[in-house]
Each structure stands twice: as structure tokens, then as C-alpha cells.
Amino acid sequence: MLSKTEVIVLKSMKYRDTSKIVTFYTKEYGKLKGIAKGARSAKNKFGSSLEPMTHAMLVLYKKEHREIHLISQCDALCSFKSFSEDFDRMTAALAVIELVHQVTHDEERNPALFALLLDTLGALHTSVKKYSTYVYAFQIRLVTLFGYAPNLETCGACASPLVAGTGETEYSFLIARGAVYCNRCRKPDSSLNVPGDPGSTFTSITAEVLQILRRLQHANLDSLGNLEFSRHAGNQIDEILRLYLRYHFEGLKTLKSTEYFH
Ligand SMILES: [Zn+2]
């Protein structure tokens, strides 16, 4: 069946003398692999459309129960040229791509994830600073799309709103529940003041970090360029999201690209 779909190129590998095997995240089918015959020959008809991070329109012969489909045509819609001009921007874009590659399975359709991926690359493409902010926003929105949204609005035990100005400067985040607790509900010995709940390991988060996480979760992506936070807050966000993703995506490897953020 000849199929046409919008894609983001996740990975591109040389194959034999003149071909390439390319992994795409597609709008219609989720992640899938294709072979581009002649993509490395003199008469390469694909141009640069098969380079990682390219947004393109793909036409392929899709066969049921095949792991690799035959690529008929691929035309770049946007190659995000600014990524190759700035190492930090490139690193952030790679972290996003790598994460999608790791957490998705072949041919599981998720158009919302495709949209998030494209929007994030677009925001990174035009932003001028704090690239890691977009990676954090992508991470928290990704887990949300997979059904693991953390509740950052109300205490996970007493349900009282977690609001600024109540005098609390620090809260407790419980990774396993994706919940934040007020100080009344968390005992000093790190167990939870809820009948029947055994002690659990908490991560402390400051009120500042809680506010930032909320914006990362809900704010318009284009507005995140104005989000200022201290290095300490950045480290805490990085750590919480890393633990949270690892908890929900078993076997998630440390993303090579994120090591450059610090
Ligand atoms: Zn509480």
C-alpha cells in the first residue's frame, strides 16, 4: 500500500553501498523504519530529507508485518538549519529525538506525540537561549501524553491547593505516585501521614521548582524562552524529571545528549 505521511527523521544509517535505513516518527503510524535505495548514490533523489531531525513528507510502500518499508519519496518541509549552527541547540534537539526513539514502539500511532515533537523542535529552532528548558517541557509533556501526568496542583494526600504565599517554601515529591505533598502530610521521618501508607522515599522540591514545573507542563511553548530559573532550580528539575522518566519508562538509558547541559 502506498502511504503518505508527515515525518520527523529520528535516525539515519548507511546500508550496503548506496542505501540508507531511516527511522522516522510519523504522524500516521508512529515510529517506523524504511529503506531508501540509492540515497547515497550520485543520483540521490532524496536530497537532505533523510537527515536526522528533518521534518518531511514521506511516501512509502507500506507492507503489513514488515519491519522495514520501502521509501518511495521524501521531501523536506523544514530541515531546522539552526540546529547545526549551535552546539547547545543541537544537543537539546538530539535529546528530544533520542527520547522519542527510546520510549516508543514501532507502529504505535500517537498524533499528539508527533505534534508535540514538531512543536518542540520548532520552538528550539527559533529560541535563542535556555535550550534545556524545552527539553524539560518536552519530557513532562511526554509523560503526560503517556498517561503519567504528575499532579502539581494539590497535595497528594489532603488535596489542599499547593499555592505560593502560604509560607511553605518546600514540598515533597513522591516519584512513584507523581504527587506532591504539603508539610502537614509528610512526617519528618519521611513517611506519609496517610493511614495505610507505608514510608516512601521523597524528593524535596522548592516552591520555585514546583511553579516552574507547572509552567513546563502547561505554558505555551513559545513563552518558555522567558522562563528564568537559578542553576540550583535547574539541577533539581533535571533530577526530578530524570527519575520520573526512568520510573515510568523501564530500561530508559541516560540520554547521551543531556550530559552536556551541565
Ligand atoms: Zn497535604
Side-chain angles (χ1 to χ4, degrees):
M1 185 181 67
L2 200 61
S3 304
K4 190 175 182 181
T5 178
E6 240 178 284
V7 299
I8 299 285
V9 179
L10 298 180
K11 207 172 171 179
S12 193
M13 256 167 48
K14 290 177 184 171
Y15 182 71
R16 301 230 166 122
D17 287 342
T18 60
S19 301
K20 272 184 178 176
I21 289 182
V22 186
T23 308
F24 301 97
Y25 197 78
T26 76
K27 190 175 181 178
E28 295 300 326
Y29 310 102
K31 184 170 73 179
L32 57 71
K33 274 199 205 77
I35 180 162
K37 290 190 173 160
R40 292 163 49 235
S41 70
K43 286 185 195 157
N44 169 25
K45 62 173 177 173
F46 300 103
S48 61
S49 67
L50 303 174
E51 295 302 314
M53 291 175 279
T54 304
H55 175 210
M57 189 59 83
L58 171 74
V59 180
L60 81 171
Y61 294 100
K62 203 169 163 304
K63 283 200 173 174
E64 292 286 317
H65 313 300
R66 273 274 191 88
E67 232 180 87
I68 299 182
H69 308 279
L70 180 64
I71 299 171
S72 161
Q73 201 184 329
C74 196
D75 299 302
L77 300 170
C78 178
S79 51
F80 298 115
K81 287 233 177 320
S82 71
F83 294 159
S84 56
E85 292 158 6
D86 183 318
F87 181 74
D88 292 334
R89 203 196 305 255
M90 170 71 96
T91 304
L94 278 173
V96 167
I97 294 282
E98 230 181 299
L99 185 57
V100 171
H101 197 273
Q102 281 203 48
V103 303
T104 54
H105 300 288
D106 283 0
E107 303 199 27
E108 280 182 5
R109 188 172 186 267
N110 190 341
L113 176 55
F114 179 83
L116 175 64
L117 174 59
L118 185 58
D119 289 350
T120 305
L121 292 179
L124 266 172
H125 181 52
T126 51
S127 70
V128 288
K129 57 179 181 177
K130 287 253 183 192
Y131 305 123
S132 54
T133 307
Y134 298 94
V135 180
Y136 299 144
F138 183 78
Q139 289 174 327
I140 197 163
R141 289 165 200 229
L142 176 90
V143 288
T144 300
L145 282 180
F146 278 76
Y148 311 123
N151 171 14
L152 306 173
E153 308 300 327
T154 53
C155 170
C158 70
S160 60
L162 305 167
V163 285
T166 54
E168 293 205 57
T169 54
E170 193 134 317
Y171 299 97
S172 305
F173 188 78
L174 187 54
I175 299 288
R177 289 197 173 185
V180 182
Y181 297 89
C182 72
N183 287 324
R184 288 185 304 279
C185 294
R186 180 196 158 179
K187 290 181 191 165
D189 65 357
S190 275
S191 67
L192 197 57
N193 195 10
V194 175
D197 200 301
S200 306
T201 310
F202 290 92
T203 306
S204 289
I205 68 168
T206 61
E208 181 199 3
V209 167
L210 183 63
Q211 295 274 26
I212 296 164
L213 284 171
R214 283 181 188 156
R215 284 199 60 189
L216 292 171
Q217 194 178 25
H218 298 298
N220 190 312
L221 276 181
D222 293 327
S223 74
L224 292 180
N226 305 322
L227 189 60
E228 297 287 339
F229 49 87
S230 65
R231 192 181 179 83
H232 178 256
N235 287 340
Q236 206 170 65
I237 290 164
D238 193 273
E239 175 74 0
I240 285 172
L241 290 174
R242 196 172 55 78
L243 293 171
Y244 200 63
L245 260 73
R246 277 219 184 147
Y247 181 81
H248 286 293
F249 300 111
E250 212 178 312
L252 188 69
K253 293 181 213 116
T254 302
L255 301 175
K256 279 174 251 142
S257 4
T258 54
E259 288 165 13
Y260 298 105
F261 287 166
H262 300 288

